[in-house]
Amino acid sequence: MKGSEVIMKMLEKHGVEVVFGHPGGTIMPVYDALYDSPIKHVLVRHEQGGTHMADAYFRASGKVGVVFATSGPGATNLVTGLATAHMDSSAVVAITGNVVRSLIGTDAFQEADVFGITGPVTKHNYLVKDVNDLPRILTEAFHIASTGRPGPVLVDVPKDVQQAEYDGPLEAEIDLPGYRPTLVGHARQIEKASEAIRAAKRPIMMVGGGGQVAPEEVAAFAHLTGIPVITTLMGIGAYPPGDQQFIGMPGMHGTVTANRAITHCDLILGAGLRFDDRVTGKISRFAPNATVVHIDIDPAEISKLVKAHVPVVGDLRDVLPRLQRLLSRLDIDEWRAQITEWKDRYPERYKTDKPLVSQEVLEMLREAAGDAIVTTEVGQHQMFAARLLPTKKPRSFITSGGLGTMGFGLPAAIGAAFARPGETVVCVAGDGSVQMNIQELATLSKHRLPVVIAILNNGVLGMVRQWQELFHAQRYSEIYLADSNPDFAKLAEAYGIEGHNVFDRDQARKLIPEAIAKGGPVLLNFVVYEAEKVWPMVPAGAGVDEMIIGDQEPEQEPEPVVTA
Ligand SMILES: Cc1ncc(C[n+]2csc(CCOP(=O)(O)OP(=O)(O)O)c2C)c(N)n1
């Protein structure tokens, strides 16, 4: 068997059903072996798109996403996608071709030091120097990507290793003494956590991306104790947004209630999150009176930014039920009443005394496609979607949280559609971001996936515009897109995808349910108000207690606007 066949057989052994990729010179032997393989291959139009597809495939299904690329420019095109997956703990295995071993280090045609380049943006990476190592390395790659805190692993395979003969077994032992993720929480730490929670009068639970694997454990814990629940951007769907104990998203564009709860709580139970700076704001003003209990599978996250008074390293599926057994309903009615008062005072609000606004489009989408998987690009539309279109199900709100990668949403929608056949995917996009991987319309068109792309087209790089309006004296520098945007409906049609430009509310109300019902790809380009802002907003460097409430302020009895 050739090395390239070993690669395909190992993928089969790991249950891989679909690979996203793009061929080229040094990965031709693998593509030749693929020709005879039962594994489906999705030909992407840019390798970055392929990585986002593989990443979203994992996020939506929990199964490792796989991407192929050739050496040099093909492999370097993966970098943004790998960094995106790395930041958001997504299990991806990337397989790249490289120049033959004798040419490595000679500036050969299409040579790049992919091992060196991708080290900082992967959980682990390999350069395979001997065909006999392939079964072991691929076994390890899948193991490392998918266990503990998930992450991307890159395997770089020189062309002559792909062409070399191999006649050994495909089974390989995993022997990684330096890599043994802690899954079972320490009993004493769990006991300490229970003591702290029992003593709390104003506790909150904050659930991050780690909660996507443990929605039942999170719900059971919250319902038994009565603790109010915040989900971060990465935690959306890990707790049902309609639930009475739900208080929304925290941080820079979090809800007033979530940020107030953080400021006034006396205990935070952090579950599978990393206290990202967009969540904490200025650390010294973050939850100043709180005891912090932090459960995470990755010990490196404990006390990285926010000091954990009670750290528990382990898998939420182990720790939460054990913690729950030590607790009963908490005596926190006063605190819950305070939270309800904030929720009633600060419901989601926006003004419709202007042309179509993004928020109402999202509410129409929620009504028409409440159960859809949602992917987003990055910008104002992403924050509006997080607040107005949170999914009820886990693994269903798929967004680039840590890296904030414009160009993620459209390929992610394709990856999610492959991961969950039969489910509708809504891609919420901005007119800026969607153009960063717009070529993937071709991939979408070819596979006729049930993806509705909703472009909230404000004609500007809206999030940048918002910062320039608020913090740069309205000096709008290089944000205008409208004069050179394509006609998005015609563009979609050029790719063989149904497209509509939508200018008003009536048209939106009619076209959204029709598009969802189609069961195939549709692009809706909503022309929305340019100067809308995402409120509340915690200015960069300020504390979450210093948020500007903006339009979320009740019409009556306005509170003073507090700025940094
Ligand atoms: C690849 C990349 N480049 C630049 C940025 C910085 N950035 C963040 S949001 C944003 C504007 C996005 O505009 P658009 O997609 O139109 O969305 P809107 O904010 O208008 O909803 C920019 C430029 C980024 N996040 N990613």
Side-chain angles (χ1 to χ4, degrees), residues 378-381 404 406 430-433 436 458 460-464:
V378 170
Q380 289 183 310
H381 61 277
M406 292 170 71
D431 47 323
S433 300
M436 288 222 179
N458 51 13
V460 286
L461 297 168
M463 190 54 97
V464 180

Side-chain angles (χ1 to χ4, degrees), residues 142-156:
F142 276 86
H143 176 70
I144 292 170
S146 61
T147 54
R149 177 179 179 175
V153 177
L154 179 129
V155 183
D156 195 27

Side-chain angles (χ1 to χ4, degrees), residues 48 80 358 377-384 403-407 429-436 455-465 478-479 481 530 534:
Q48 181 185 348
T80 302
S358 299
E377 294 285 353
V378 170
Q380 289 183 310
H381 61 277
Q382 177 190 30
M383 294 297 113
F384 287 136
L403 203 66
T405 306
M406 292 170 71
D431 47 323
S433 300
V434 78
Q435 296 188 66
M436 288 222 179
I455 303 178
L456 300 174
N457 180 350
N458 51 13
V460 286
L461 297 168
M463 190 54 97
V464 180
R465 187 198 174 285
E478 297 301 317
I479 52 154
L481 303 172
E530 171 189 309
V534 188

